[in-house]
Amino acid sequence: MSASPRVKGEGRRVGPGGEQAAQRLVAIWPARTLTGKVRHVELKVSMRSQGGRTIMSVGGEIDLYTAPRLHGELVTALAGGGPEQIVVDMSGVEFCDSTGMNVLLAAHRRAREQGGDLELAAPRPAIKKILQVTGLESVFTVVDDPAAVVSEP
């Protein structure tokens, strides 16, 4: 009884007649990993004070690679120890994974502990869907129009 060839990285055996498919998979998979190319994702964050609030405009993608930048900016905004009112303008955020949601949630919790609040403004439909599916829409104050939040005293 001869051993069946294994598809490297897949952990499954390829039976008789499946060798051609296995060769294609092996030929394609390393080509992706050997290039070393990772799509460059940028996160743009800017802050300004307006009417007793800190308005943080965020643009790009919030994920495992960019969440530390957002975390750092939120820590800076909350560093005073007093009740901070932070509005995160999400209108420029194209994608946010669980890492990004956890960063926002931790900042929200810290703001509340200090007597302040963190609101999300103008999230795109994909981000709103994540908030709905995870139940976080009931945790965060979510405002559809950032201009309305910014113009409030």
Side-chain angles (χ1 to χ4, degrees), residues 9-147:
E10 287 291 313
R12 63 180 178 162
R13 296 189 183 278
V14 177
E19 288 83 5
Q20 185 177 14
Q23 289 171 353
R24 263 187 303 182
L25 183 60
V26 171
I28 293 171
W29 184 257
R32 291 182 187 163
T33 58
L34 292 178
T35 61
K37 292 183 181 178
V38 175
R39 189 169 56 92
H40 177 70
V41 179
E42 187 175 341
L43 182 69
K44 297 175 185 170
V45 180
S46 63
M47 284 191 287
R48 69 182 189 282
S49 293
Q50 185 171 339
R53 292 184 165 154
T54 299
I55 311 300
M56 181 178 292
S57 297
V58 183
E61 297 184 6
I62 307 171
D63 60 16
L64 179 65
Y65 301 105
T66 61
R69 166 101 196 277
L70 179 61
H71 174 76
E73 296 290 342
L74 287 165
V75 166
T76 299
L78 293 165
E84 297 291 335
Q85 301 297 323
I86 300 173
V87 177
V88 180
D89 180 356
M90 304 276 290
S91 61
V93 176
E94 299 162 10
F95 173 81
C96 184
D97 70 5
S98 61
T99 310
M101 286 295 164
N102 282 326
V103 166
L104 292 169
L105 194 56
H108 178 266
R109 184 174 46 246
R110 181 152 182 201
R112 287 282 178 103
E113 288 170 356
Q114 296 175 355
D117 197 13
L118 182 140
E119 299 177 352
L120 303 180
R124 291 183 178 190
I127 307 303
K128 284 177 93 168
K129 182 71 171 180
I130 292 168
L131 292 169
Q132 291 168 349
V133 168
T134 59
L136 290 175
E137 69 179 348
S138 64
V139 175
F140 291 105
T141 300
V142 181
V143 181
D144 289 328
D145 184 12

